[in-house]
Amino acid sequence: MSDRYCVIGNPIAHSKSPQIHAAYALQTGQDLAYERCLAPLDGFEATVRRLVAEGYRGANVTLPFKLEAARLATRLAPRARAAGAVNTLIFADGEIVGDNTDGPGLVADIVRNAGVPLGGKRILLLGAGGAARGALLPLLEEHPRQIVIANRTLATAEKLVADFADHADRLAVTGFADVEGSFDVVVNATSASLAADVPPVPPAVFGPGVLALDMMYGAQPTVFMAFAASHGASVRDGLGMLVEQAAEAFLLWRGVRPDTAPVMASMRQS
Ligand code: NDP
């Protein structure tokens, strides 16, 4: 029987992960099956225990279970511990290992796919929720000059920076309207686009030469992308990040990193 994996969430019907992992398996010749798994809102732990008992080899975790997955893991990779959130579980040798590939996926999409190196750059990170938390350590590991974190609720951004005290010299916190200066890269890690909202940062942050990436994706460019593009920025949505985080998870499970470019192209078409 093929090795089994799944993505656990609630809701989960919209997830594109089965399509992505099926393409990776085909491309790399790995014998695996990957499906969607709807967990009851109060039943994440029971779902994971059932999967382990049934012999699954691992799982991805999406909303709203990423924090619970970090608590449930018997061992955490350093980047998952830093994020306080887990999007990839590995079931092996009686352990539930938790890792987080969202941040590495974001960095791979910016550096490799968009061709924008982050060393010495100034980054504006909008949002301080789970996705921003997961992105922070992988972004810092690229050695940017500074990361400014702006969030609607200032206290949440302050808590995030306090949790990364070792990097305090390269981190700053501000409200949206008080963002100052120019940036090389602006990452929208808020869920504002879901409500067709744009974080009210000064339009001047989106000049020519700026890469503006919205972690959200859809058939149409998000309102954030439209706003940033109208002020001169190059824009990207979160599809590349999604495809890249899946490749990182695939690497953790199977020891082989798939080529993301053809999968990205076919996802974009569909
Ligand atoms: P969380 O719920 O953990 O955090 C939401 C964040 O958005 C908070 O900072 C919140 O601010 C802010 N926010 C929410 N609504 C608004 C608004 N109307 N205006 C301004 N700020 C707002 O969500 P996640 O961090 O898990 O996810 C954030 C986004 O990233 C989602 O759109 C998600 O789909 C996307 N994502 C994409 C991935 C990909 O692979 N492409 C992977 C992971 C996430 P406050 O603190 O004030 O509440």
Side-chain angles (χ1 to χ4, degrees):
M1 194 166 72
S2 307
D3 290 342
R4 284 190 291 170
Y5 299 86
C6 67
V7 54
I8 313 170
N10 186 331
I12 199 62
H14 65 284
S15 175
K16 298 188 190 310
S17 292
Q19 201 181 331
I20 297 171
H21 282 281
Y24 288 164
L26 192 66
Q27 182 198 98
T28 58
Q30 295 280 316
D31 183 13
L32 62 86
Y34 187 110
E35 71 214 45
R36 294 181 184 86
C37 177
L38 177 71
L41 289 174
D42 62 352
F44 175 72
E45 178 170 351
T47 301
V48 171
R49 304 252 177 247
R50 174 179 63 76
L51 296 172
V52 172
E54 289 179 5
Y56 279 71
R57 304 286 294 269
N60 283 130
V61 180
T62 189
L63 286 175
F65 299 123
K66 290 185 184 182
L67 302 186
E68 208 176 333
R71 290 194 292 272
L72 184 63
T74 56
R75 192 150 52 87
L76 284 176
R79 60 195 183 190
R81 186 175 306 112
V86 157
N87 82 330
T88 303
L89 293 170
I90 302 146
F91 308 142
D93 306 324
E95 292 234 57
I96 300 175
V97 182
D99 206 331
N100 192 317
T101 66
D102 282 337
L106 171 71
V107 167
D109 189 51
I110 295 174
V111 176
R112 272 211 298 271
N113 300 344
V116 176
L118 294 172
K121 300 287 177 65
R122 195 161 183 251
I123 301 171
L124 175 60
L125 182 60
L126 305 173
R133 194 166 263 280
L136 200 47
L137 187 62
L139 285 173
L140 282 162
E141 285 172 349
E142 295 296 306
H143 306 291
R145 181 157 51 92
Q146 189 185 37
I147 302 178
V148 176
I149 301 168
N151 195 42
R152 185 176 59 182
T153 309
L154 204 56
T156 314
E158 283 166 348
K159 167 81 172 71
L160 176 55
V161 168
D163 288 346
F164 284 79
D166 288 354
H167 305 276
D169 56 327
R170 288 188 292 150
L171 296 175
V173 170
T174 179
F176 291 135
D178 301 320
V179 172
E180 282 180 352
S182 59
F183 295 88
D184 303 289
V185 175
V186 181
V187 175
N188 184 15
T190 75
S191 44
S193 294
L194 279 173
D197 234 357
V198 179
V201 293
V205 303
F206 302 111
V210 176
L211 174 67
L213 183 151
D214 196 341
M215 287 192 183
M216 223 187 97
Y217 51 85
Q220 304 299 324
T222 66
V223 281
F224 171 82
M225 290 164 68
F227 183 75
S230 74
H231 291 92
S234 310
V235 293
R236 285 180 91 72
D237 67 9
L239 189 65
M241 175 182 174
L242 179 79
V243 170
E244 294 293 343
Q245 65 75 28
E248 290 289 327
F250 196 92
L251 172 63
L252 289 172
W253 291 327
R254 311 301 300 182
V256 48
R257 196 180 201 285
D259 179 6
T260 53
V263 178
M264 176 86 176
S266 80
M267 296 292 297
R268 190 63 80 192
Q269 265 181 357
S270 70

